[in-house]
């Protein structure tokens, strides 16, 4: 389906981003990887994508807090592949503290990476998509784009913001062949969530597995983690012809979290 198209996934060296890049590659898309991590591990992942799926894959180390690096990454993708057709805004970080204890630098970093970077990528990528009359923009938001939790002021603000940004882009691009949607996962067991579980186990003195179950049952009627591959599969569907008129939506994939 995506053969000959190019997808860029921000923050695709780990977790949901990596699984989404793999799902898009399995569907035939060429891939621009992005994110931080060990150079050799990233190179193994990049060349592995090429071998496993018979596509071309490149890697950009652009820092999502730096607008100039973001613009250069979009330009490099268009230059290398001839176009950027699928943009997945996924890079994200977390910090957990009450607002009075929340460091201002953490607020700035979370807003920059989890929200503003999506403005900068779309700002640079959408002119080409409109010109070619085809594009898919997928923003990885969160259940926290729709409802709040204590101690996550910056994350919840950024994720609500990205759901709003999604709607505006969808309306503006509605008749140009470009769709823009958000995916709102509940708990997905990735390094971002594992750290929260480990911190809770340290604070409570309880086994990690106990804290895992507690974390799930506090929020989700379904006591299972969503798999990163499930989010990849939803992203592939949003790129399909069947999804051509789905735009401006916020898709929950959250074990019933926001149904309550
Ligand atoms: P993760 O920690 O496994 O991956 C985060 C990725 O972002 C990594 O590739 C990392 O290198 C990259 N990154 C971080 N800062 C960056 C920067 N400044 N520039 C470029 N890349 C940067 O996390 P994850 O759980 O896979 O999260 C991915 C996205 O999914 C995030 O936006 C997160 O908010 C969202 N999400 C996660 C969950 C969950 O339960 N894990 C739930 C809902 C939403």
């Amino acid at each position: 389906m995506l053969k000959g198209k190019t997808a860029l996934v921000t923050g695709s060296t780990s977790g949901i981003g990596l699984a989404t890049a793999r799902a898009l590659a399995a569907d035939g898309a060429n891939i621009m990887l992005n994110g931080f991590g060990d150079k050799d591990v990233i190179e193994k992942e990049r060349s592995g994508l090429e071998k496993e799926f018979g596509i071309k894959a490149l890697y950009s180390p652009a820092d999502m807090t730096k607008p100039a690096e973001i613009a250069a990454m979009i330009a490099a993708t268009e230059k290398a592949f001839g176009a950027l057709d699928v943009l997945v805004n996924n890079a994200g970080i977390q910090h957990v503290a009450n607002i009075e204890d929340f460091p201002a630098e953490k607020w700035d970093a979370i807003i920059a990476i989890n929200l503003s970077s999506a403005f900068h990528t779309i700002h640079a990528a959408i002119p080409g998509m409109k010109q070619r009359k085809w594009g898919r923009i997928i923003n990885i938001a969160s259940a926290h784009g729709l409802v709040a939790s204590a101690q996550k002021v910056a994350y919840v603000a950024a994720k609500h913001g990205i759901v709003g940004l999604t709607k505006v882009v969808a309306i503006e691009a509605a008749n140009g062949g470009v769709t823009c949607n958000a995916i709102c996962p509940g708990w997905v067991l990735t390094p971002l969530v594992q750290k929260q579980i480990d911190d809770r186990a340290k604070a409570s003195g309880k086994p990690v597995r106990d804290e895992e179950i507690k974390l799930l049952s506090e929020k989700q009627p379904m006591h299972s983690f969503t798999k990163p591959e499930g989010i990849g599969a939803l992203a592939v569907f949003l790129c399909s012809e069947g999804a051509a008129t789905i735009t401006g939506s916020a898709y929950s994939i959250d074990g019933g979290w926001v149904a309550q």
Side-chain angles (χ1 to χ4, degrees), residues 84 125-135 169 172-174 176-178:
L84 170 53
I126 206 165
M129 291 179 176
K130 283 185 170 170
Q131 204 179 5
R132 291 183 297 275
K133 299 188 173 18
W134 200 93
V169 173
E172 289 181 6
V178 179

Side-chain angles (χ1 to χ4, degrees), residues 13-16 188-198 228:
T13 53
S14 170
I16 292 169
V188 186
L189 198 52
T190 65
L192 183 140
V193 166
Q194 190 62 55
K195 182 179 179 304
Q196 293 174 60
I197 295 168
D198 293 346

Side-chain angles (χ1 to χ4, degrees), residues 10-17 34-37 61-65 89-93 113-114 140-143 155 159 183-193:
T10 70
S12 47
T13 53
S14 170
I16 292 169
N34 161 255
F36 299 151
D63 180 341
M64 292 303 106
T65 64
N89 289 304
N90 165 82
I93 58 167
I113 297 167
N114 298 22
I140 306 300
S142 166
Y155 190 85
K159 295 300 186 179
I183 294 179
C184 298
W187 291 122
V188 186
L189 198 52
T190 65
L192 183 140
V193 166

